Amino acid sequence: MSSPVDATRHAASACRTHRMYRMDCTEFDLLRARADGRCEVCRTPEHETTTRQLAIDHDHQYGPGAVRGLVCSACNSALVWIDRGRSTQDPRFAAYLANSWFMQVTAWARASGQLFWSLSCGGFDLVEAARKFGAVVSVERALGVEPTMSTHTSVGPGRVTFCATALFAHKELDVQVVIGHGTARNLRVEEVVVSLAGQPTTRFPSSASALAHLRAGGWSPVAPR
């Protein structure tokens, strides 16, 4: 994807932090390049800030994935109050908010048909992790078929979730296990979707409940032996 900034590689120790904000290494490097070593509001050089480190600021209305930029601790605190409704006469904040990073990402993605996040960085790969996740493994064992893996981004009220979907196709049955990725590499089952020929699609909160439903209906090969 083309972008108006050039990336410089960040330290590996920063991966855990930027992944909490749903950014992979490529996107975080581009964000750092845009900031150019300065707070994006007051333009104070990073090494002259109180903490000597710029903080990742995000829009709390939309959740951690809505990163706005890199700011110093003072401006970060001011932004918290602005988010809570306090007005400010400082035009630098208005300019910064109008140029939020996640808005740029959305614009670039729409223009190019791509997204920055690869869901893989810092030795962690969402597809690989989801493939080994218990809910996916249990369905694979029950159906005796390997899944086709895919990824997507789920946007809901106040949150952006990266998801990996394991699709199991077995004769007239399709089972989709959607695994969501939270912070600190936590995975969770978002939903399990069962589509059986001639029947309405059914959604379940876990693979166990989905398999129990199929067994109760006598569907082979997951019917009780």
Side-chain angles (χ1 to χ4, degrees):
M1 175 188 302
S2 61
S3 67
V5 292
D6 294 321
T8 55
R9 188 66 179 173
H10 62 276
S13 59
C15 285
R16 182 174 182 179
T17 300
H18 71 66
R19 289 195 67 257
M20 291 178 64
Y21 293 91
R22 313 297 198 267
M23 289 189 293
D24 70 3
C25 293
T26 299
E27 184 180 358
F28 184 58
D29 285 336
L30 288 168
L31 176 60
R32 290 175 61 248
R34 187 185 79 157
D36 195 26
R38 295 173 177 269
C39 170
E40 294 193 77
V41 177
C42 67
R43 304 306 298 166
T44 299
E46 184 170 21
H47 67 275
E48 295 181 8
T49 63
T50 303
T51 61
R52 296 182 178 275
Q53 184 176 1
L54 296 177
I56 298 175
D57 165 55
H58 73 284
D59 190 324
H60 292 264
Q61 178 181 357
Y62 298 105
V67 172
R68 292 188 294 209
L70 294 174
V71 298
C72 67
S73 58
C75 289
N76 196 30
S77 296
L79 285 163
V80 171
W81 289 108
I82 292 174
D83 285 343
R84 293 177 179 175
R86 179 176 295 182
S87 61
T88 177
Q89 301 301 316
D90 191 334
R92 296 176 299 179
F93 285 97
Y96 166 75
L97 294 173
N99 195 39
S100 292
W101 177 256
F102 77 96
M103 295 180 183
Q104 286 194 358
V105 170
T106 301
W108 296 338
R110 288 178 64 87
S112 64
Q114 303 176 58
L115 293 175
F116 279 120
W117 38 76
S118 64
L119 307 180
S120 174
C121 72
F124 175 80
D125 185 273
L126 177 57
V127 171
E128 180 181 350
R131 181 69 176 76
K132 299 176 181 177
F133 196 60
V136 174
V137 173
S138 65
V139 173
E140 181 177 358
R141 288 175 178 172
L143 299 184
V145 295
E146 294 186 358
T148 299
M149 304 297 297
S150 62
T151 60
H152 69 279
T153 304
S154 174
V155 181
R159 71 168 187 162
V160 177
T161 304
F162 294 135
C163 298
T165 298
L167 172 61
F168 297 88
H170 189 285
K171 299 180 180 178
E172 73 272 21
L173 172 70
D174 283 345
V175 178
Q176 296 183 60
V177 182
V178 183
I179 305 298
H181 170 224
T183 60
R185 301 187 181 182
N186 292 327
L187 298 181
R188 61 180 177 270
V189 176
E190 295 290 323
E191 64 176 354
V192 179
V193 183
V194 175
S195 301
L196 191 58
Q199 298 185 20
T201 297
T202 311
R203 301 177 185 273
F204 300 89
S206 68
S207 60
S209 58
L211 292 174
H213 170 77
L214 290 171
R215 291 191 180 100
W219 195 88
S220 178
V222 295
R225 291 183 174 85

